[in-house]
């Protein structure tokens, strides 16, 4: 025998509650399981606070030959200000992921800096690494895309700006 009972209205979902599950295409628990918890959990990558403008990571090499270590987990825009006494700069890159693009913008100080080494293997468009603009106060900007471990396609975005 089948018994039909009438339950109290409070036990039924409201129309608003039913609307929450409209369009669900897989188990709700599966969808919820992919969300970050309010407490705990792990987030990766760079976090930018809502309503703020992202700015580049700034590097100012000291006097004399310096290595500037670009950390691509920190930012995708790297702004290097040449030292007032001129600085020979060697670049290294860390934490770039496959196919990650990033930009390096170099502003010349009062005395012109030079690049003594780009990181890993850079394949420059045109086949040759560029020479920095040799004018104090001018900016050269370059773009890079990581194509494989320690390999980058390299492009001149703008020079003598």
């Amino acid at each position: 025998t089948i018994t039909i009972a009438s339950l109290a209205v409070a036990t039924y979902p409201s129309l608003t509650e039913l609307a929450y599950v409209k369009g669900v295409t897989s188990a709700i628990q599966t969808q919820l399981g992919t969300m970050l918890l309010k407490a705990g959990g792990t987030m990766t990558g760079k976090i930018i606070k809502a309503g703020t403008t992202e700015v580049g990571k700034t590097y100012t090499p000291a006097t004399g030959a310096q290595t500037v270590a670009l950390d691509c987990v920190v930012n995708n825009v790297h702004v290097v200000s040449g030292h007032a006494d001129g600085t020979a700069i060697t670049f290294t890159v860390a934490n770039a992921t496959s196919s990650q693009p990033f930009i390096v913008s170099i502003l010349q100080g009062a005395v012109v800096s030079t690049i003594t080494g780009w990181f890993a293997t850079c394949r420059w468009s045109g086949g040759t690494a560029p020479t920095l603009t040799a004018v104090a106060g001018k900016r050269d900007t370059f773009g890079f895309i990581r194509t494989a471990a320690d390999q980058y396609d390299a492009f001149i975005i703008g020079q003598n700006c």
Side-chain angles (χ1 to χ4, degrees), residues 124-140:
W124 288 94
S125 83
T128 305
T131 301
L132 291 181
T133 300
V135 177
K138 291 294 184 173
R139 179 180 307 279
D140 294 334

Side-chain angles (χ1 to χ4, degrees), residues 45-156:
K46 184 174 45 150
I47 300 170
I48 301 170
K49 182 179 176 185
T52 62
T53 302
E54 179 180 0
V55 295
K57 168 76 173 143
T58 303
Y59 308 84
T60 304
T63 303
Q66 294 292 311
T67 297
V68 174
L70 308 171
D71 188 347
C72 290
V73 124
V74 173
N75 214 305
N76 287 333
V77 178
H78 307 275
V79 179
V80 179
S81 295
H83 193 277
D85 295 332
T87 301
I89 304 170
T90 298
F91 287 99
T92 62
V93 66
N95 302 314
T97 58
S98 187
S99 301
Q100 180 178 4
F102 58 96
I103 293 172
V104 176
S105 182
I106 303 165
L107 177 64
Q108 291 287 13
V111 176
V112 174
S113 295
T114 58
I115 302 295
T116 55
W118 290 99
F119 41 85
T121 302
C122 289
R123 294 181 301 206
W124 288 94
S125 83
T128 305
T131 301
L132 291 181
T133 300
V135 177
K138 291 294 184 173
R139 179 180 307 279
D140 294 334
T141 304
F142 308 100
F144 301 90
I145 300 172
R146 182 178 183 252
T147 55
D150 296 324
Q151 293 184 13
Y152 301 86
D153 285 348
F155 309 91
I156 299 169

Side-chain angles (χ1 to χ4, degrees), residues 8-53:
V9 173
T11 62
Y12 295 115
S14 70
L15 289 176
T16 301
E17 292 168 326
L18 288 173
Y20 293 148
V21 295
K22 182 180 178 183
V24 173
T25 58
S26 64
I28 291 174
Q29 186 59 49
T30 302
Q31 291 181 25
L32 293 175
T34 63
M35 295 182 168
L36 185 64
L37 304 173
K38 287 186 178 180
T42 302
M43 292 178 61
T44 59
K46 184 174 45 150
I47 300 170
I48 301 170
K49 182 179 176 185
T52 62
T53 302

